[in-house]
Amino acid sequence: MAQLILMPGKERSAFKQHHPWLFAGSVGRLEGRARPGDTVEVLADNLRPLGRAAYSPQSQIRARFWTFDPNEAIDDAFFKRRIAAAVERRQVLPALRGQQGLRLIHAESDGLPGVIADQYGDTVVVQLTSAGADKWRNAIVAGLLKATGCARIYERSDSEVRGLEGLTPVTGWLHGEAPTTPLSIEENGVTLAVDIAGGHKTGFYLDQRDNRQLLGQLAAGKEILNCFCYTGGFSLQALAGGAAHVLSIDSSGPAIAQAKANLALNPALPAERAEWLEADVFQALRDFRQAGRKFDLIVLDPPKFAPSAAHADRAARAYKDINVLGCRLLKPGGLLMTYSCSGGIGLELFQKIVAGAAHDAGREARIVQRLAGAADHPVALSFPEGEYLKGLLVQVD
Ligand code: SAH
């Protein structure tokens, strides 16, 4: 095994915090040969062993730790253990038991950097985003089959971040064959089709499950505006919760089409209370303001405006913009459910942005609840970057 030897003083985050990433600037030298994804032994400058990591020569994240135990072998059995532990971890929480749509592996936070696995019924979709994860594809598939007993595994490794690792997109069936009927899950009483091949991420935004349920609980009798609705997850929960009217907006035609199809999958829901709009949210909110339209509750769940801290400034302006407009469109006492899934925007900054937005809109507002990703998206304490999704439920006077 090749050895990766760190620069003096650069062992701290690995040794003291067990942070799983080693940046290029921390690495002193590589002794021996290692190809992308190979396991290397990581040593401090004084040659103290720190653990074993996947080497990624093309990425700024030069290595990702698999283990901080210098003697733990990285082999098929390692992946079997880690995957079994991740799957078992989900059973601890009552809210996750029996969910048909469930994130089984949340990458670094489950001790498996670069590995994402989402379960939709008896199908598991994996996304491998790092050179190390890519290398261990077969072991990961074997571990998932063993831990879940699922019928089929599909790979959706077409995320842009693979490019940073020098990896090309890979998609297709890794185990079993495409099901003959469209895939769907039930989430808190609502049926939703999931397009694992063509949808966003692995097909669905499982991280918002609890927040969609909360919307359902808040919806009764309300005029609701759901911005960035994707396939209608929030919208359908609002209808199930007795909303008076739900207007949903997304700029993606296929997403809106899928949202309408999802509504049709739930004949008990009052379809006449749903309105769908394929439009740019930034423009639509301005148009509503012009038209003097008002709502009781507005959901703002935009895409990642800031993939990294480098984009934080521009992203902050975009978040501010939609949140100002959101506040302006609320009736007195209305609720704003507002989110950021940008890794580059921390919770504190997000709260400041929303505070600034309420102020600019000339409204007093208070946080009535803090919102986060569902429990199947755990955040390892050693990896605060894992807490990408943050939200605020704000009441606007
Ligand atoms: N709330 C959704 C997930 C939202 S993902 C859920 O619970 O499933 C973000 C969505 O924003 C995507 O569907 C994307 O198509 C849409 N989008 C991105 N930019 C947009 C824009 N400027 N205007 C409207 N929709 C946009």
Side-chain angles (χ1 to χ4, degrees), residues 187 200 204-209 212 226-235 249-253 255-256 277-283 299-305 339 341:
E187 182 189 88
H200 296 178
F204 192 58
Y205 292 87
L206 291 167
D207 51 0
Q208 288 285 28
R209 182 191 312 109
R212 289 189 283 260
N226 178 19
C227 299
F228 310 97
C229 69
Y230 188 48
T231 58
F234 276 99
S235 314
I249 312 176
D250 202 283
S251 58
S252 154
I256 291 281
L277 185 60
E278 183 184 329
D280 172 40
V281 164
F282 292 83
Q283 187 56 50
V299 180
L300 297 174
D301 183 26
K304 201 166 24 183
F305 290 148
Y339 299 93
C341 61

Side-chain angles (χ1 to χ4, degrees), residues 226-391:
N226 178 19
C227 299
F228 310 97
C229 69
Y230 188 48
T231 58
F234 276 99
S235 314
L236 269 56
Q237 289 295 342
L239 292 168
H245 187 258
V246 184
L247 170 52
S248 309
I249 312 176
D250 202 283
S251 58
S252 154
I256 291 281
Q258 183 69 70
K260 288 181 182 169
N262 280 339
L263 179 54
L265 290 176
N266 296 269
L269 295 182
E272 69 284 359
R273 297 187 186 177
E275 188 184 343
W276 307 96
L277 185 60
E278 183 184 329
D280 172 40
V281 164
F282 292 83
Q283 187 56 50
L285 294 180
R286 287 187 164 77
D287 294 346
F288 294 155
R289 183 154 154 74
Q290 285 280 313
R293 232 176 137 161
K294 295 275 181 182
F295 301 89
D296 298 304
L297 193 158
I298 299 176
V299 180
L300 297 174
D301 183 26
K304 201 166 24 183
F305 290 148
S308 74
H311 306 79
D313 275 356
R314 216 180 59 198
R317 281 195 291 278
Y319 285 117
K320 174 94 174 274
D321 190 25
I322 53 173
N323 280 280
V324 171
L325 288 161
C327 287
R328 290 200 163 125
L329 293 174
L330 280 171
K331 297 176 196 167
L335 291 169
L336 187 66
M337 256 186 149
T338 181
Y339 299 93
S340 163
C341 61
S342 293
I345 304 270
L347 178 57
E348 217 178 309
L349 175 56
F350 185 58
Q351 187 173 322
K352 273 192 189 139
I353 292 168
V354 177
H359 181 80
D360 284 12
R363 308 286 290 266
E364 295 293 334
R366 50 195 50 78
I367 296 169
V368 292
Q369 195 171 328
R370 292 175 187 281
L371 308 166
D376 48 346
H377 298 62
V379 182
L381 286 170
S382 56
F383 186 67
E385 293 88 341
E387 190 166 26
Y388 62 99
L389 179 62
K390 48 246 145 204

Side-chain angles (χ1 to χ4, degrees), residues 56 58-60 160-167:
S56 192
Q58 297 215 21
S59 172
Q60 276 308 301
E160 276 178 21
V161 296
R162 274 174 69 93
L164 303 175
E165 299 269 320
L167 300 168

Side-chain angles (χ1 to χ4, degrees), residues 153-189:
I153 300 185
Y154 185 75
E155 177 166 13
R156 222 15 238 289
S157 299
D158 55 359
S159 155
E160 276 178 21
V161 296
R162 274 174 69 93
L164 303 175
E165 299 269 320
L167 300 168
T168 51
V170 180
T171 57
W173 291 96
L174 296 173
H175 179 85
E177 286 167 17
T180 46
T181 51
L183 206 67
S184 68
I185 55 165
E186 193 189 307
E187 182 189 88
N188 295 313

